[in-house]
Amino acid sequence: MLLHLIKKEFVVIQKQTLWMVGLIALIPLFMLWKLPQYANYLGFVFAVIYGTFIMLSYICLAEYQCKKASAYLCTTPYPRKYLVLSKYFFCIIVYLFCALIFWLETLLLPQLGSLSLPLAGGAFLLIAVLCGIYLPICYYFGYDKTKFVYVIIVLGLSYLLPVLIGFNIEDTISRLFMAVSPDFAGAAIFITGLLIFVLSALISVRIYDHKDLA
Amino acid sequence: MNTILHPILEVHHLNKSYKDFALQDVSFSLPEGCITGFIGANGAGKTTTLHTLLGLTGADSGEIRFFGMDMREQAEEIKNRIGVVLDSNCFYEGLTLNQMKNIIAPAYSRWCEEDYQRYLRTFSLNPKQTIKTLSKGMRVKYALTLALSHKAEFLIMDEPTSGLDPLIRSQVLGILADYMENGGRGVFFSTHITSDLDKIADTLILIDDGKILFQEEKDVLLDSYRIVKGDVCWLTADTRPLFINVSETAFGFTALTRQAARVQAMMPEAVMERPHIEDIMLGVIGENVPAKERR
């Protein structure tokens, strides 16, 4: 049942998915063109954040425009919690897709560097924190009252670019976890991100379980 | 072996409050094998009741049982056995009929693709058509298609004929009658179009201002009341209390009564007619008005 609901998320925004795939692929290439020395981690981080958040915003918008569709799904045997969990799995799948695209690009363009575990883990943690905070708030207050968050994140990233340039995830993780190998640290960060997702999902499920869908 | 037959739907002391409206102590029981019309004016609480039955909104208190099972404990199993038709705008507009079906079908263990295809043909629906291009009548037919394609034992419908032209309304009502003939165990649909109930309903439940005013078999209800027409001068202090919803003009009065025999005795020349459901609904709701105004 959950798989079908995850598939539903992609089907609902099928028209936007195609050009988002293009955007996710283009961001690292654009970074390579404009800021080649930072293309590795900025390219991946931006692709992940833009890709995940914009696609999530499309889904939330579609749900908001067809509010009664979610209510109708709740009259079927689909448990309410699956409608929530499908969005979290959607975010993780989009992240994995971004990682796959970036990894393929690093194979084709060695100038992009490589997709290391610390970099992948750090980006995953970032997405976990952003989505983990946003989704429960969205479920509680509704998309209409929280749609500005997308604008803030997407525009904010542009303004934060100079700060992010000076902040290298891979180096930071290596410094913070000097006693352990970077790969081990990256894996630990991945798991932390997953735990954040799980905690956020539990909160969202609880909120949605009690939500009035009338 | 003794078989215990449960009503197909039982609602006991259902309460649900909003800021300006409340369902108050709603209780009713639907027998198997009946089409039950849930009638009331706009804002009476029909949709709120249906949404509470389906778990879309939580009840403040009360018990809801389908097929003898508690909705709070066995929701998934119950929902697998009921077909639901809500507002016609309850689909993802950008999807095709087949894409929407592919989302809904896996939820049901008894989904029947053959039934789905057959209903699409019967209703002349194109599975590759986008939902947003469907007319209102086609959307209702599509919603019915989905509700009828998983061997549902009980149908719950929220104003399925609202906004439809008479031809499509007639088709929808015909489908409900066929459904009951072909193994359906019950239909519960809300409406304020009483002429639909005249044609198809077996039992009627009237709700007004969040309270159930009556639950009655349609034929018994129609036999209990009479429309009385007569001279205004026949309305005296003794006769007026026999009537509900009296309408007086210069040419005479028209009123509803539950005491036809007494009226006949006191006004032998009065004309008595069998009422329509709408007459009874207006009369009974009119009796309920003083209670609303007091609040």
Side-chain angles (χ1 to χ4, degrees), chain A residues 1 4 8 11-12 14-15 62-63 66 68-80 211-214, chain B residues 16 18 51 54-57 76 79-80 84 86-87 89-95 99 103-104 106-108 146:
Chain A
M1 272 195 187
H4 294 286
K8 179 258 300 176
V11 170
V12 166
Q14 58 189 326
K15 286 181 186 156
E63 299 279 353
C66 307
K68 294 180 183 179
S70 297
Y72 179 62
L73 287 177
C74 289
T75 68
T76 69
Y78 285 129
R80 274 204 195 196
K211 199 164 179 70
D212 193 333
L213 299 177
Chain B
K16 171 66 186 178
Y18 290 102
H51 285 178
L54 293 168
L56 297 181
T57 180
E76 212 173 296
K79 288 175 183 177
N80 197 36
V84 177
L86 296 179
D87 192 284
N89 294 324
C90 63
F91 304 119
Y92 293 105
E93 301 269 309
L95 303 189
Q99 285 174 328
I103 294 172
I104 300 296
Y108 294 101
L146 293 177

Side-chain angles (χ1 to χ4, degrees), chain A residues 120-168:
Chain A
F124 184 74
L125 180 65
L126 196 57
I127 276 298
V129 168
L130 290 173
C131 294
I133 293 172
Y134 173 71
L135 279 171
I137 294 173
C138 183
Y139 275 114
Y140 189 82
F141 290 105
Y143 172 79
D144 197 34
K145 291 179 183 167
T146 55
K147 59 189 171 194
F148 65 91
V149 171
Y150 293 108
V151 177
I152 289 173
I153 286 172
V154 171
L155 287 179
L157 274 178
S158 312
Y159 286 103
L160 283 174
L161 186 59
V163 175
L164 289 170
I165 283 174
F167 176 81
N168 186 306

